[in-house]
Amino acid sequence: MNAPFKSPVVPEPPLWDLSDLYASRQDARIAEDLAAARVVVADLGALQGQLTGSRAEPARLGRLLDRAIALYEKATDALGGLSAYAFLVASTARDDAGAQGFEADVREKVTALATPTVWLTLEINQLEEGEVEAALATYAEASRWRPWLRRVRAQKPHELPAELETYLAERMPIAAQWPRLFDETLAALRVKAGKDALTLSETLNQLSDPKPARRRAAAEGLSGALQGEVRTLALVLNTVAAEKALEDGKRGFARPADSRHLANEVDGEAVDAMAEAVAQAYPRLSHRYYALKARVLGKPTLDHWDRNAPLDTRAPRTFDWGQGRDLVLDSFSDLGPEFADRARGFFDRPWIDARARPGKQSGAYAHPVTANRHPYVFLNWMGERRDVLTLAHELGHGVHQTLAADRGTLLADTPLTLAETASIFAEGLTFDRLLADAPRAERRGLLAGRIEDGLNTVVRQIAFHRFETRFHDARAGGELSVERIGQIWMEEMAASLGPAVTLNPGYEVWWAYVSHFVHSPFYVYAYAFGDLLTAALMETRRADPAAFTPLYRDLLAAGGTRTYVEALKPFGLNPRDPAFWLIGCRRLERLVDEFEALV
């Protein structure tokens, strides 16, 4: 008698295991780690005044710098692990008051412990450049901190008196309640789409549905849901911008984005030039592509909910979790076995939370925690092609973070301008494999998807950046109404999408779900920066893949020890040359050329 047939078990997207950090919110180790951190902070505080007191003794100053910065890193590791645990728990349970309260409580306790360390960077910046250099030259072990000191010294012109710096650090948990309100509001959002009540993540996913009626229902439902909350979300955005403007003014930053540029170690003029280059390319990229897509779909223009619509009305290919995992790991192996092995560790442990569920916030991220702990990856898996690429993107971050971990927490920290490199590179490798393995009938749709991903990363993020810049500039004159924010949004989105896309009524409030505007003002340009930078790297790899891999590994393993100019020098690339940014735009334009040939 034959055995009964059993269908293969389809692996479910995983939930992460946070027990490497803490067993639960009640874990006794939380109090123990807070107590241990308090001791480290006290040891560091005992050195206050000794740096400036040793400025005439280079050898002693070098030893003190080495000890003080090492203690600062130790305190950062202790408090960073606890902060990360609270955030990771809360981000999967935005509807759980206990989890949200725990995160807020931890934030306050960590801030109270960390605030007394503010003196260190202030005292370092009281030293003259020659005094610091003499100390590093005399006491060689201290020279390992040179990249971190470079970033600290860059902040010197914008530092405030110690009392004000302490006050700003102490009030940080209170200011963080505005992003909390934003997150909780969006997590509770339910979008009426036909007979369904969708979360934000489910709604955004349905905008890629092959059926036009379902896309429209999702879009109109989202507009209606956001309209119900838009005044609260506008208040949050206005308040975050006002607080930022107040601090920026005290610190002497001329423009709202300048503090972000300084943290990213880039010139504002270079970012402006990149943004302008992309904006000038709108007609050759987004305007042209969306006109072609409208022709393929048989429409005079696209409704805004058609922007990411599949070209085929049949259900697009989907991927179960196991298929997505294998595809991404195979793509990482194209760079070499080490990259695939590091990525595989995230699946095996597990260090990934991919299962979409009510209360879990939308979006995706890779959290580095601290260098003495492993990262975690977060996403909402729906089985779409974009989810495969998102998985690759976040694992790119995760692998980057594991490679840089040997540098220690302070030196592993990478400016945004380089932090997106590994993620976008991994996404590109995965797409290349998807395209290579696709049947001929699917190639046009895949190519369209890749172009749309590029447009979303470069064109859309620059449009976001231009909206954000205009909003902050206008906010300097007083609070902006919902209607004025919507007007700025519509103008920038229309400019970026072009005449082939109709922005239907209701779209004017869609700025309200973009979390970066609230959590990390002026973060978004880093995506375009990273994409264009990565495009130049991928072009370099095409010439000699074998020679490229060790250079690329060194770039990632360097963490934040090199500026982006220094990091790209071994590849023969100069990002200070305006022509550098055209490499990425031309690469995307070539994809549009290929697509047009198939239309």
Side-chain angles (χ1 to χ4, degrees):
M1 180 176 180
N2 293 331
F5 173 76
K6 292 184 179 180
S7 60
V9 176
V10 177
E12 194 173 11
L15 305 176
W16 54 28
D17 178 2
L18 300 180
S19 60
D20 285 353
L21 295 173
Y22 299 98
S24 70
R25 303 200 305 257
Q26 293 75 38
D27 194 328
R29 289 184 299 154
I30 293 174
E32 293 169 4
D33 287 353
L34 284 169
R38 192 172 291 112
V39 171
V40 177
V41 170
D43 289 345
L44 175 60
L47 300 179
Q48 186 170 358
Q50 294 188 41
L51 302 182
T52 50
S54 304
R55 63 198 321 159
E57 305 172 66
R60 183 166 184 263
L61 177 58
R63 285 195 299 274
L64 286 169
L65 280 171
D66 186 43
R67 174 163 170 72
I69 299 171
L71 285 170
Y72 183 78
E73 183 173 66
K74 188 175 181 181
T76 300
D77 285 342
L79 298 176
L82 181 54
S83 296
Y85 177 73
F87 169 73
L88 295 170
V89 167
S91 64
T92 58
R94 290 296 176 195
D95 58 349
D96 181 345
Q100 303 313 301
F102 174 72
E103 183 186 25
D105 182 56
V106 166
R107 188 183 297 120
E108 290 182 7
K109 289 178 178 177
V110 167
T111 299
L113 278 171
T115 297
T117 69
V118 166
W119 71 266
L120 177 61
T121 55
L122 296 176
E123 188 165 330
I124 286 172
N125 280 341
Q126 291 176 37
L127 300 168
E128 299 298 329
E129 197 66 38
E131 293 168 345
V132 173
E133 286 300 322
L136 300 184
T138 307
Y139 190 75
E141 288 183 41
S143 63
R144 64 188 168 127
W145 303 113
R146 189 182 296 276
W148 183 79
L149 286 166
R150 180 190 70 225
R151 296 200 292 272
V152 169
R153 302 289 286 177
Q155 298 288 342
K156 182 174 181 177
H158 304 286
E159 284 182 344
L160 300 172
E163 295 81 4
L164 271 178
E165 291 288 359
T166 300
Y167 166 73
L168 289 172
E170 288 174 340
R171 70 182 291 275
M172 195 178 299
I174 301 169
Q177 296 297 79
W178 291 107
R180 175 185 173 183
L181 174 60
F182 177 90
D183 287 342
E184 291 184 10
T185 300
L186 291 184
L189 202 72
R190 290 298 176 269
V191 175
K192 193 174 187 304
K195 297 179 180 179
D196 300 323
L198 307 177
T199 64
L200 178 59
S201 292
E202 290 168 340
T203 304
L204 297 177
N205 185 65
Q206 191 164 306
L207 291 173
S208 299
D209 194 277
K211 296 181 179 178
R214 285 176 56 79
R215 295 196 301 272
R216 179 172 183 169
E220 292 180 342
L222 179 56
S223 295
L226 290 174
Q227 284 285 5
E229 303 290 349
V230 72
R231 300 208 175 274
T232 298
L233 297 171
L235 175 61
V236 170
L237 189 62
N238 269 290
T239 305
V240 167
E243 288 183 328
K244 175 175 170 49
L246 182 62
E247 182 174 339
D248 283 351
K250 296 291 185 185
R251 293 190 181 279
F253 289 112
R255 301 188 308 169
D258 284 352
S259 59
R260 180 67 68 184
H261 298 332
L262 183 63
N264 287 343
E265 297 188 282
V266 298
D267 297 324
E269 292 77 8
V271 176
D272 292 343
M274 177 197 67
E276 185 59 31
V278 173
Q280 288 182 3
Y282 285 169
R284 305 192 306 275
L285 299 175
S286 49
H287 297 189
R288 179 180 164 215
Y289 171 74
Y290 291 126
L292 290 168
K293 183 170 186 176
R295 189 197 311 172
V296 172
L297 294 180
K299 302 182 66 171
T301 61
L302 300 174
D303 292 298
H304 75 261
W305 52 74
D306 295 326
R307 194 170 52 82
N308 292 322
L311 299 182
D312 197 325
T313 56
R314 293 173 299 179
R317 179 186 176 191
T318 58
F319 301 82
D320 65 40
W321 178 252
Q323 292 169 329
R325 176 195 60 210
D326 293 345
L327 180 59
V328 169
L329 290 177
D330 286 346
S331 302
F332 273 69
S333 70
D334 290 341
L335 276 173
E338 181 188 6
F339 288 88
D341 288 344
R342 286 179 180 271
R344 189 174 293 107
F346 285 79
F347 296 98
D348 293 345
R349 300 313 196 265
W351 298 343
I352 302 175
D353 194 299
R355 196 177 306 170
R357 55 198 185 274
K360 184 178 180 181
Q361 71 184 45
S362 62
Y365 62 74
H367 198 306
V369 188
T370 54
N372 61 345
R373 296 173 174 88
H374 60 77
Y376 289 89
V377 163
F378 172 106
L379 70 153
N380 287 274
W381 180 266
M382 303 287 183
E384 305 288 341
R385 175 191 58 84
R386 281 189 177 83
D387 296 323
V388 177
L389 295 176
T390 297
L391 176 61
H393 182 104
E394 301 306 339
L395 279 173
H397 280 306
V399 168
H400 187 180
Q401 290 155 6
T402 64
L403 281 167
D406 288 344
R407 300 282 180 173
T409 297
L410 297 184
L411 299 181
D413 186 34
T414 308
L416 292 179
T417 44
L418 284 173
E420 291 298 330
T421 302
S423 54
I424 296 170
F425 201 101
E427 201 175 328
L429 288 175
T430 303
F431 173 78
D432 288 346
R433 184 170 282 270
L434 271 170
L435 188 64
D437 294 344
R440 183 174 180 82
E442 294 181 14
R443 290 180 65 84
R444 187 178 70 169
L446 277 173
L447 191 58
R450 182 55 178 158
I451 293 168
E452 288 165 16
D453 289 342
L455 295 179
N456 287 336
T457 304
V458 177
V459 170
R460 187 167 172 80
Q461 299 302 326
I462 289 302
F464 282 3
H465 174 68
R466 289 164 71 93
F467 160 78
E468 198 172 15
T469 300
R470 288 183 61 190
F471 167 77
H472 280 262
D473 287 345
R475 180 65 182 84
E479 185 168 307
L480 272 66
S481 66
V482 167
E483 293 72 22
R484 179 59 182 143
I485 299 173
Q487 182 184 9
I488 297 172
W489 170 261
M490 292 291 276
E491 289 170 358
E492 290 302 329
M493 294 306 106
S496 67
L497 296 171
V501 179
T502 300
L503 302 181
N504 306 87
Y507 190 72
E508 67 274 6
V509 297
W510 281 37
W511 55 266
Y513 79 80
V514 183
S515 62
H516 286 100
F517 296 156
V518 172
H519 281 274
S520 307
F522 297 98
Y523 184 107
V524 291
Y525 77 75
Y527 288 112
F529 196 106
D531 190 279
L532 296 174
L533 186 153
T534 303
L537 286 174
M538 295 191 84
E539 291 295 292
T540 303
R541 180 176 179 267
R542 284 176 60 186
D544 191 346
F548 175 86
T549 293
L551 293 177
Y552 181 65
R553 188 197 186 283
D554 287 347
L555 182 153
L556 300 184
T561 61
R562 303 174 188 167
T563 67
Y564 73 105
V565 174
E566 294 168 340
L568 292 177
K569 190 174 181 179
F571 301 91
L573 298 170
N574 178 17
R576 287 179 171 154
D577 183 350
F580 171 84
W581 302 109
L582 297 177
I583 299 172
C585 288
R586 287 171 183 156
R587 181 181 174 89
L588 186 53
E589 194 172 352
R590 284 202 306 272
L591 293 176
V592 179
D593 291 342
E594 290 180 39
F595 180 77
E596 186 172 26
L598 296 174
V599 171

